[in-house]
């Protein structure tokens, strides 16, 4: 028995049984789920209807993630799957699917932020700031950094995650269809919501 996407085998809304008036058709076909895992990149090509190609990711270890409020996108490593609204089994098996909440490496974003604004982030309370040799900057660069500082606001939760070296992110691509694991960094009310859901679990 092949996997099919048709719905004629289901009962009617009223509960009556439908008559089987035809067999399965190729255009109603389905395929097994990709169940993309975290690991060294492995992608299979699948031919679809109309000779369109799908990129079935079986394993992925990195992706492009966007930090919306700072308009910054970096390629980062995927570390772990922490929450999935649809199924806890996908968290236990560390399966990468669209909408999954994952942990990604924070260092590329942290390095960019510190260089862009000229400030230190992710310093834990009670610890002294790491002392580094002061690099001499030109007046033009100093003025540019000062101008950037004016409207700068770093969310406390993001700063706390910078200290741990990991950021919470949501996958927005479909790894089993496009072969990519891209998404957005969680911030603001969305981050608060998912932290609450994870604490509840």
């Amino acid at each position: 028995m092949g996997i099919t996407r048709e719905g004629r085998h289901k009962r009617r809304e009223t509960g009556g049984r439908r008559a089987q008036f035809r067999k399965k058709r190729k255009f109603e076909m389905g395929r097994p789920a990709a169940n993309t895992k975290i690991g060294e990149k492995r992608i299979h090509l699948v031919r679809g209807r109309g000779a369109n190609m799908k990129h079935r990711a079986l394993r992925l270890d990195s992706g492009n993630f966007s930090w919306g409020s700072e308009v910054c996108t970096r390629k980062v490593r995927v570390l772990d799957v922490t929450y999935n609204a649809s199924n806890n089994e996908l968290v236990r098996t560390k399966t990468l699917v669209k909408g999954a909440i994952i942990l990604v490496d924070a260092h590329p974003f942290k390095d960019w932020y510190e260089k862009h604004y000229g400030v230190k982030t992710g310093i834990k309370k009670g610890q002294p700031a790491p002392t580094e040799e002061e690099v001499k900057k030109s007046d033009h660069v100093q003025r540019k950094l000062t101008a950037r500082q004016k409207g700068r606001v770093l969310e406390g939760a993001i700063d706390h995650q910078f200290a741990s070296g990991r950021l919470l992110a949501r996958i927005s691509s479909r790894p089993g269809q496009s072969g990519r694991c891209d998404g957005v960094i969680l911030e603001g009310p969305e981050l608060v919501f998912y932290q609450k859901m994870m604490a509840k679990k």
Side-chain angles (χ1 to χ4, degrees), residues 26 28 51 57 72 74 113 123 134 141 178 191:
K26 179 85 159 61
E28 295 169 340
C72 170
R74 291 288 178 273
Y113 192 89
I123 299 162
E134 196 65 36
V141 172
S178 65
L191 175 60

Side-chain angles (χ1 to χ4, degrees), residues 20-55:
Q20 185 193 357
F21 66 91
R22 74 171 187 203
K23 301 284 188 178
K24 292 176 180 179
R25 296 288 188 266
K26 179 85 159 61
F27 58 79
E28 295 169 340
M29 180 186 81
R31 294 189 189 88
N35 292 329
T36 310
K37 299 288 189 278
I38 300 170
E40 192 180 347
K41 186 164 141 180
R42 185 188 295 174
I43 296 170
H44 284 183
L45 290 177
V46 178
R47 183 192 182 276
R49 190 169 164 83
N52 292 304
M53 299 303 287
K54 290 188 177 188
H55 297 76

Side-chain angles (χ1 to χ4, degrees), residues 10 22 37 53 63 74 82 89 93 104 118 130 163 167 169 185:
K10 295 285 215 177
R22 74 171 187 203
K37 299 288 189 278
M53 299 303 287
R74 291 288 178 273
T82 56
E89 197 72 5
T93 55
V104 297
L167 284 171
I185 300 300

